[in-house]
Amino acid sequence: MFRALRLDKSDGEFQREFVTLDEGDLPTVGDSDHPELVVDVEYSTVNFKDALAVADQSPIVRSWPMVPGIDLAGIVALSEDSEVPVGQRVVVNGWGIGEDTWGGMTQRARVRGSWTVPLPDGVSTAQAMAIGTAGYTSILCVLALEEHHVTPDRGPVLVTGAAGGVGSVAVALLAARGYEVHASTGRPEEADYLTALGASTIVERSELSQPGGRPLARARWAGAVDAVGSHTLANVLAQVQPEGCVAACGLAQGMDLMTSVAPFILRGVTLRGVHSVHVPRQRRVEAWRRLDEDLDRELLASMTTTVGLDEVPAVADEVLAGRVRGRVVVDVNA
Ligand SMILES: NC(=O)c1ccc[n+]([C@@H]2O[C@H](COP(=O)([O-])OP(=O)(O)OC[C@H]3O[C@@H](n4cnc5c(N)ncnc54)[C@H](OP(=O)(O)O)[C@@H]3O)[C@@H](O)[C@H]2O)c1
């Protein structure tokens, strides 16, 4: 028997409860081409998307009932996949867990073997969830900038939504690689926190978040990681240097994007979309290798709060209110 957080809306009314389940309750996710396995989950995390699902604020969940949690880390307890042995420490990010199939806010989970990435020896299951989809998306953004030749010698790079999960990890990762990092935040009280992560300059959120910005403005940044979207992304694009790149992964301000072609046709700026959910496994393995290599564990600890499963609903409300700094790990066995 094990505990899980379960959401349901089968009858039209949203319900959220902590339940005790046994393995037979875990829905099947595999088939003859996709062998499955059972993970003893040690940790999950509350990403922005999880907060939306747990608070029923957005149609994240596409099948009911649902165990939320788009991330999990733990140890393989049973395996039908010859490539993923029992006892292997694994992380799962995305692939629709917590959206289409049951996710990580549980003590046991059934997933496809192909969804798992073996954790590098240097990353604990707790650290893997301190990183979570937010941090793994940050490294995908950093890789995207590198692939577009945004190197530290090209000039400063910007991170928007910097005090959030994606932003905090992105600041730390970019600073570790020698970039001059400018951090945009709406929380000036987090300036010391962001400086400790490696930011050299704090940019007021309101400098970038207003509608009606010019199509092109002074070119300030060689590149950017944008977790915010909307007017912020439009204003960032207008301030990126020629041949620069913006890795866009988020919509914390909004999903809209009112911009012009000017940054693209007059400065050769690249807008690179980053989507973490269905990234091929090989790129995930590389992303986790880089996280292991680049992410300072003390800084990771400084941006992380740990809660128990019972606290998840309250934390979700805090995340949606923009009051959570950095990352929240869920110890599902606490
Ligand atoms: N593409 C993908 O695969 C992928 C993966 C992970 C996350 N995401 C998306 O990335 C975004 C960030 O995720 P997260 O986990 O970092 O969330 P988070 O921890 O809640 O951080 C979001 C941050 O955005 C800033 N923000 C919030 N509301 C804002 C507003 N109205 N205007 C401007 N800035 C605002 C805040 O930063 P400050 O307090 O510093 O201003 C906040 O901390 C979300 O939209 C999420 O859905 C996408």
Side-chain angles (χ1 to χ4, degrees), residues 139 142 146 152 157 168-181 196-199 290-297 299:
I139 193 72
V142 172
E146 290 177 357
V157 290
S168 295
V169 180
V171 169
L173 288 171
L174 288 163
R177 282 269 157 177
Y179 290 88
E180 179 184 337
V181 183
L197 294 183
R290 276 290 298 270
L291 285 162
D292 181 25
E293 196 172 291
D294 289 2
L295 193 55
D296 183 290
R297 302 305 194 273
L299 290 184

Side-chain angles (χ1 to χ4, degrees), residues 71-101:
D71 290 311
L72 63 84
I75 297 171
V76 176
L78 300 165
S79 179
E80 292 172 4
D81 189 329
S82 55
E83 289 182 23
V84 191
V86 169
Q88 173 79 56
R89 293 176 330 114
V90 293
V91 60
V92 182
N93 308 111
W95 293 116
I97 71 166
E99 301 184 61
D100 303 310
T101 62

